[in-house]
Amino acid sequence: MSLFSKFTRLWNTVRFLKPVQFYYRFKYSVWKTNSIPVYDLRHVSANKLKFIPFPVLSVLYKNSTFKFLNIEKEFSEIDWEYLDYGRLWTYNLNYFEFLNQEGMNREEGIRLIKDFEKSSRYNHTAWEPYPLSLRIINWVRFFISNKIDNRDFNTSLFSQITALSGKLEYHLLANHLLENGFALLFGAYYFNNDFFYRKACHILIPQLREQVLSDGAHFELSPMYHCIMLYRVLDCYNLVHNNTLFGRELEGFLKEKAEAMLGWLREIIYRDGKIPLLNDAAFGIAPVAKDLMEYGQRLGITCCKKVKLKESGYRKLQFGKFELLMDVGEVGPDYQLGHAHADTFSFELYINGRPVIVDTGTSTYEVNDTRFYERSTAAHNTVVVSGQNSSQVWAGHRVARRARVRVICDEEERVVGQHDGYKRLGTLHTRGVEKIGENIRIVDEIDGEGCAYLHFMPEEKIILNGNILTGSDFCIELNGTRTIESFSSWYASEFNKRIQNNVVCIQF
């Protein structure tokens, strides 16, 4: 890539950032400190809180062995900044989500916290705002659930919350800043601290108003992150609803957002209860939809009215044996596209209750060829022109030039959209999806030559005969094609788990 091309890519990435992001990026690059704050907290005491049961996580820790992202590591002595499995694995180690896993006992949880404390001052990953935020939430939940009021733990926790309040992630915004706000709210309630509470409100109220779209979707448009953010909103409502601090000021607001997010989730999940794997999404990271809905019911939060999918850009066609979910929206919020893929107009298709045509998924956040491929247009069920991505995804979490979408027709049984991701190549891409009798018809139009990809579930056995693709209980007729080629690729429904599958490339 030429110097000019690199400059253009960088410009098309940063020109959409908000002024506050530039300010904080400059601030944190100039003001760097490796020191860990020390406070005299002898008079700090924890508040006795009520918190109804929340969904427990699957087992992440057992007998000195941690398992995150499908990778296990046994420690004789825990290295809390262990980096051999990548930064995301180390982050998970420092989240302390295992404290609230199924079967975790009080004594073992206390032992792990004490072990962490021995080296925490030298563990710089632990003091990064994102793992810091999640650990604060998980410690508070563990302390409340197990009725732990330990002065040393409270001193450490107060120090962590205070440190977080001084390095909020305004340079990133989106889900990172929300996690900061959620953690501050937990800290505010745990210590009955007005400073933490006002900081939390200053983040949560405007950010949830912006980040929860009118149809209830989280604006980064990853169903996985939607579930994570919904889980946090339900937890915060749990905290506010069951305790009288701060006049329960946020109760109605959090309930409204939780209802909207539950409604959107109920609309996009398939009949088997699974989420679509669109954008950065994988199974085994967020709580499943069933658990979130049951958690909401225990809190008295339900969404009775049917949600109409709109602002999120997702549309669902469901009838007979078919469930098709299509993306006709923007790739995400312009100023933060870290979890976006070049997947405009991609879709997933269930037939008779099972996934047949699937998204490639997400197996890694590391900056490597696998990450580049999984974010590419060719890794999705949409059209590639001249071997180019519809949006210019690069690095691990960057997007430069991005496709813009115009929805031409938006009816219950017919959706037509057009995007300009290939305009520089002399064409627009138009895709229509509609119900025709008991069948589904998908029509792609471009000016020139393109290749439409179909990624099949690994278990699906397909036979290509001329222009007909046949499966066990379906038949796909391909018209207007030049060549049809089948080849092997990879399906990644979970992190660090790739299974070989069949992909069909239709040149037209």
Side-chain angles (χ1 to χ4, degrees):
M1 180 179 286
S2 68
L3 184 63
F4 177 76
S5 296
K6 289 181 179 179
F7 174 80
T8 302
R9 184 181 68 180
L10 180 62
W11 168 244
N12 284 327
T13 302
V14 303
R15 69 189 179 96
F16 296 99
L17 298 180
K18 289 188 172 186
V20 68
Q21 290 175 285
F22 283 109
Y23 171 77
Y24 275 89
R25 283 178 185 275
F26 175 76
K27 175 181 175 180
Y28 291 151
S29 66
V30 172
W31 179 68
K32 288 184 177 180
T33 177
N34 290 323
S35 61
I36 307 302
V38 179
Y39 305 95
D40 181 4
L41 303 173
R42 287 171 292 182
H43 304 296
V44 167
S45 60
N47 204 24
K48 289 188 175 9
L49 299 172
K50 296 178 182 177
F51 202 71
I52 74 164
F54 46 84
V56 292
L57 300 170
S58 57
V59 176
L60 303 172
Y61 168 83
K62 187 177 181 180
N63 299 330
S64 301
T65 299
F66 294 92
K67 183 179 181 180
F68 309 120
L69 311 173
N70 289 311
I71 299 177
E72 289 188 0
K73 172 63 180 176
E74 182 179 4
F75 290 101
S76 54
E77 292 184 12
I78 302 173
D79 177 1
W80 292 98
E81 204 167 18
Y82 185 79
L83 292 169
D84 286 11
Y85 297 148
R87 195 154 193 77
L88 187 59
W89 199 94
T90 314
Y91 266 36
N92 274 267
L93 181 63
N94 283 271
Y95 293 163
F96 269 79
E97 288 184 332
F98 45 82
L99 286 180
N100 300 297
Q101 72 179 26
E102 186 176 3
M104 172 60 73
N105 64 64
R106 186 178 190 272
E107 291 70 27
E108 184 64 6
I110 289 172
R111 188 190 71 80
L112 289 167
I113 292 173
K114 286 181 177 178
D115 189 278
F116 169 82
E117 285 290 281
K118 288 188 297 186
S119 60
S120 64
R121 293 183 57 78
Y122 309 102
N123 176 1
H124 297 296
T125 299
W127 292 90
E128 291 184 33
Y130 192 76
L132 187 55
S133 296
L134 271 64
R135 186 171 61 254
I136 289 166
I137 294 171
N138 286 313
W139 279 26
V140 170
R141 292 170 80 194
F142 179 70
F143 294 160
I144 295 172
S145 300
N146 291 276
K147 297 181 173 56
I148 296 170
D149 188 2
N150 179 292
R151 188 179 69 178
D152 291 337
F153 290 170
N154 291 340
T155 299
S156 174
L157 183 59
F158 196 95
S159 298
Q160 293 176 59
I161 300 166
T162 305
L164 173 65
S165 70
K167 47 184 177 184
L168 301 170
E169 294 177 280
Y170 280 101
H171 60 303
L172 295 176
L173 299 172
N175 75 85
H176 277 248
L177 186 60
L178 268 185
E179 293 285 17
N180 301 162
F182 295 139
L184 288 171
L185 187 68
F186 267 72
Y189 270 75
Y190 190 73
F191 290 112
N192 192 10
N193 185 287
D194 190 68
F195 173 75
F196 294 153
Y197 180 73
R198 289 301 154 199
K199 280 261 186 181
C201 289
H202 186 71
I203 293 171
L204 294 178
I205 293 173
Q207 289 300 317
L208 283 172
R209 281 176 177 161
E210 179 183 8
Q211 294 192 35
V212 179
L213 301 177
S214 298
D215 65 359
H218 182 253
F219 77 158
E220 290 186 76
L221 305 179
S222 156
M224 180 184 79
Y225 278 96
H226 177 93
C227 290
I228 294 171
M229 294 300 100
L230 171 56
Y231 190 24
R232 301 280 186 256
V233 173
L234 289 171
D235 266 353
C236 288
Y237 178 79
N238 190 349
L239 199 63
V240 173
H241 177 69
N242 288 295
N243 300 281
T244 58
L245 298 178
F246 311 110
R248 293 196 175 109
E249 180 184 21
L250 292 174
E251 183 176 8
F253 176 71
L254 290 170
K255 185 175 184 180
E256 174 194 338
K257 296 304 175 186
E259 286 177 342
M261 296 178 80
L262 280 167
W264 186 83
L265 179 62
R266 187 177 64 181
E267 193 64 29
I268 66 152
I269 58 173
Y270 300 111
R271 290 170 188 158
D272 65 359
K274 291 182 178 177
I275 59 171
L277 295 183
L278 302 177
N279 289 309
D280 274 348
F283 300 135
I285 303 297
V288 298
K290 178 177 177 290
D291 287 346
L292 290 169
M293 290 174 183
E294 289 177 353
Y295 188 24
Q297 288 173 354
R298 291 200 297 276
L299 293 169
I301 299 177
T302 56
C303 183
C304 299
K305 62 182 181 181
K306 183 176 173 62
V307 170
K308 180 175 174 57
L309 297 176
K310 191 174 181 182
E311 291 80 8
S312 62
Y314 293 141
R315 299 293 185 270
K316 196 171 188 182
L317 192 62
Q318 183 170 314
F319 65 94
K321 65 182 182 181
F322 295 120
E323 296 173 89
L324 183 145
L325 191 83
M326 179 184 177
D327 180 3
V328 289
E330 303 294 340
V331 290
D334 269 337
Y335 62 84
Q336 180 47 275
L337 292 174
H339 296 297
H341 290 198
D343 64 348
T344 304
F345 295 167
S346 188
F347 69 94
E348 288 190 327
L349 178 66
Y350 269 56
I351 299 175
N352 288 322
R354 75 182 191 285
V356 174
I357 297 177
V358 293
D359 192 282
T360 293
T362 302
S363 69
T364 183
Y365 281 173
E366 296 296 307
V367 183
N368 55 30
D369 288 343
T370 298
R371 177 66 171 162
F372 300 154
Y373 171 70
E374 289 174 354
R375 296 183 78 204
S376 73
T377 306
H380 300 85
N381 302 304
T382 186
V383 172
V384 173
V385 174
S386 299
Q388 301 292 304
N389 290 325
S390 55
S391 292
Q392 193 179 11
V393 291
W394 64 285
H397 298 277
R398 300 286 181 267
V399 182
R401 173 186 37 77
R402 63 279 318 255
R404 298 298 185 189
V405 175
R406 181 169 68 95
V407 178
I408 298 169
C409 176
D410 193 2
E411 299 172 355
E412 187 173 343
E413 296 184 350
R414 182 171 183 258
V415 179
V416 181
Q418 184 179 80
H419 78 79
D420 66 358
Y422 301 122
K423 189 175 181 179
R424 73 194 187 287
L425 302 176
T427 186
L428 302 174
H429 174 207
T430 303
R431 169 168 279 187
V433 178
E434 61 184 324
K435 176 180 183 289
I436 302 291
E438 293 304 310
N439 302 307
I440 294 174
R441 180 165 67 189
I442 300 176
V443 179
D444 287 304
E445 298 177 42
I446 57 170
D447 184 8
E449 295 184 1
C451 181
Y453 286 86
L454 297 177
H455 297 256
F456 289 87
M457 193 71 179
E459 293 82 4
E460 291 298 321
K461 306 300 181 186
I462 57 172
I463 298 172
L464 176 61
N465 185 9
N467 70 327
I468 304 293
L469 275 173
T470 305
S472 59
D473 55 357
F474 64 89
C475 176
I476 303 175
E477 182 179 343
L478 304 165
N479 295 317
T481 66
R482 285 196 169 185
T483 62
I484 305 170
E485 177 190 2
S486 178
F487 60 93
S488 294
S489 187
W490 299 97
Y491 169 66
S493 62
E494 300 178 25
F495 274 85
N496 297 303
K497 185 177 179 181
R498 302 173 77 207
I499 305 171
Q500 202 164 48
N501 71 332
N502 290 316
V503 179
V504 174
C505 175
I506 305 115
Q507 295 181 345
F508 69 98

